[in-house]
């Protein structure tokens, strides 16, 4: 488990659990397959595919979001 804000600044997969927020930076493509207890922030030019669970809110700050999991 990761505690705090996780900043995704490169392409990849986030699995496991984050006890905090996740920020997806501009130009990154991320799949969130785990659980996030906080919010998800997707910056302009970023892409997030949520196949896991987001317990908080999703903030679409100009990015693209695909949800096939739970929000």
């Amino acid at each position: 488990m990761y505690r705090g804000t996780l900043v995704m600044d490169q392409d990849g997969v986030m699995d496991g659990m984050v006890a905090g927020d996740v920020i997806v930076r501009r130009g990154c493509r991320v799949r969130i397959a785990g659980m996030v207890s906080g919010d998800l922030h997707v910056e302009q030019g970023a892409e997030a595919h949520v196949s896991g669970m987001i317990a908080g809110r999703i903030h679409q700050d100009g990015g693209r979001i695909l949800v096939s999991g739970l929000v």
Side-chain angles (χ1 to χ4, degrees):
M1 178 174 16
Y2 183 88
R3 295 184 190 276
T5 300
L6 178 64
V7 178
M8 302 292 293
D9 56 4
Q10 56 186 343
D11 294 353
V13 177
M14 194 280 329
D15 54 9
M17 182 173 177
V18 175
D21 295 346
V22 173
I23 300 171
V24 182
R25 293 284 189 213
R26 173 181 294 218
C28 297
R29 297 178 70 190
V30 174
R31 185 171 68 107
I32 298 174
M35 179 180 171
V36 178
S37 68
D39 295 347
L40 171 64
H41 300 264
V42 183
E43 295 183 349
Q44 183 175 0
E47 184 175 318
H49 175 193
V50 179
S51 60
M53 179 178 162
I54 308 294
R57 296 180 180 195
I58 292 182
H59 301 271
Q60 184 180 15
D61 302 324
R64 182 178 167 174
I65 301 168
L66 173 64
V67 178
S68 61
L70 299 171
V71 177

